[in-house]
Amino acid sequence: MTRKKETIKIAVLASGRGSNFIAIADAISRGEINADIAFLFSNSKEAKAIEAAEKRGIKTKVVDSRSLSKEEYDKKLIEVLTEEEIDLVLLAGYMKIVGKALIETFPLRIMNIHPSLLPSFKGLHAQRQAIEYGVKVSGCTVHFVDEGMDRGPIIIQSAIPVLDDDTAESLSNRILIEEHRLYAKAVKLFAHGKLRVEGRKVFIDSK
Ligand code: GAR
């Protein structure tokens, strides 16, 4: 199982508006997930997610990635996460590649949400890629982060139909609603010790 403590400590890493962060923070506030968000971390002080955290009384930390080399930035991030004894790191619209050192410090303890049914449509603009490819179904995926982009073991996925008149925007909006539900569900499974990983496969304990 993926945890030991009673109430796990989470850090959320976000670069943008932070709607997934808000969904998880709200699910925790409603008592649905046995976890605390220790802080919201961002690589940019302009991230809207910071405002959302402050509004909820959640601590924020910013390390401006533009003023540092990749190594310096990663070192700072690892310091911040280990200092606070974080159990689970959540990437929520975090637009930076997670370095090897961070993955090795938090093996199977970093999750990401991606707006497609992986392994289809990795990388940026996954919803636009889905529309342009002409798929009939897309969706979202929560996975553990490894060194490959959008590649780590898949925890849960949810399918969303692609409609004939969908634009990248309309599809993104429908997927986003599902992302909020799915990410909170994955975090709950982790926090409540329900996940077991064997190689690429993640098993969910149904008890
Ligand atoms: C979400 O759609 C998330 O899946 C996506 O960025 C958006 C962030 O929204 N992430 C990726 O594409 C990662 N490859 P949010 O800031 O409102 O949570």
Side-chain angles (χ1 to χ4, degrees):
M1 293 297 160
T2 42
R3 67 166 274 276
K4 292 167 241 71
K5 290 190 211 160
E6 279 307 297
T7 300
I8 65 159
K9 275 178 93 176
I10 293 175
V12 182
L13 276 48
S15 308
R17 81 194 143 181
S19 73
N20 278 288
F21 157 67
I22 292 169
I24 290 160
D26 289 351
I28 291 173
S29 300
R30 291 194 299 268
E32 291 167 15
I33 307 173
N34 189 12
D36 288 325
I37 298 183
F39 59 88
L40 172 97
F41 176 94
S42 187
N43 57 302
S44 157
K45 63 180 183 336
E46 276 102 50
K48 285 254 184 338
I50 295 174
E51 242 174 79
E54 285 168 350
K55 229 167 113 184
R56 285 167 175 74
I58 295 172
K59 205 158 66 175
T60 61
K61 294 181 189 255
V62 178
V63 174
D64 189 342
S65 55
R66 287 168 307 185
S67 57
L68 298 170
S69 71
K70 175 147 180 45
E71 289 70 30
E72 287 167 333
Y73 173 80
D74 283 354
K75 197 165 162 245
K76 285 222 173 205
L77 175 53
I78 292 171
E79 261 169 37
V80 166
L81 293 168
T82 44
E83 241 168 47
E84 296 257 3
E85 301 184 333
I86 294 301
D87 297 301
L88 177 65
V89 179
L90 299 178
L91 311 186
Y94 179 65
M95 293 308 174
K96 290 201 58 79
I97 302 281
V98 176
K100 190 171 187 256
L102 180 58
I103 292 163
E104 283 172 354
T105 313
F106 292 90
L108 296 175
R109 291 197 289 139
I110 309 174
M111 282 184 192
N112 180 42
I113 185 144
H114 185 75
S116 75
L117 292 177
L118 290 172
S120 293
F121 312 127
K122 296 178 176 181
L124 291 176
H125 312 300
Q127 305 93 330
R128 189 162 81 210
Q129 293 184 54
I131 298 271
E132 283 170 3
Y133 198 89
V135 292
K136 304 292 185 193
V137 178
S138 190
C140 44
T141 303
V142 181
H143 65 95
F144 285 113
V145 172
D146 70 4
E147 279 178 54
M149 188 185 53
D150 299 324
R151 187 196 66 180
I154 290 172
I155 302 166
I156 35 179
Q157 295 186 295
S158 195
I160 299 287
V162 180
L163 309 177
D164 287 348
D165 59 355
D166 257 333
T167 60
E169 197 190 353
S170 64
L171 179 62
S172 300
N173 291 339
R174 284 206 316 288
I175 292 177
L176 190 65
I177 293 169
E178 187 56 18
E179 287 186 40
H180 297 160
R181 194 191 66 78
L182 198 72
Y183 213 176
K185 183 174 172 189
V187 174
K188 180 174 178 173
L189 289 169
F190 182 98
H192 297 209
K194 303 282 190 193
L195 300 178
R196 181 168 51 86
V197 186
E198 283 176 26
R200 273 211 59 84
K201 291 199 180 165
V202 180
F203 297 94
I204 298 174
D205 176 7
S206 56
K207 277 178 271 154

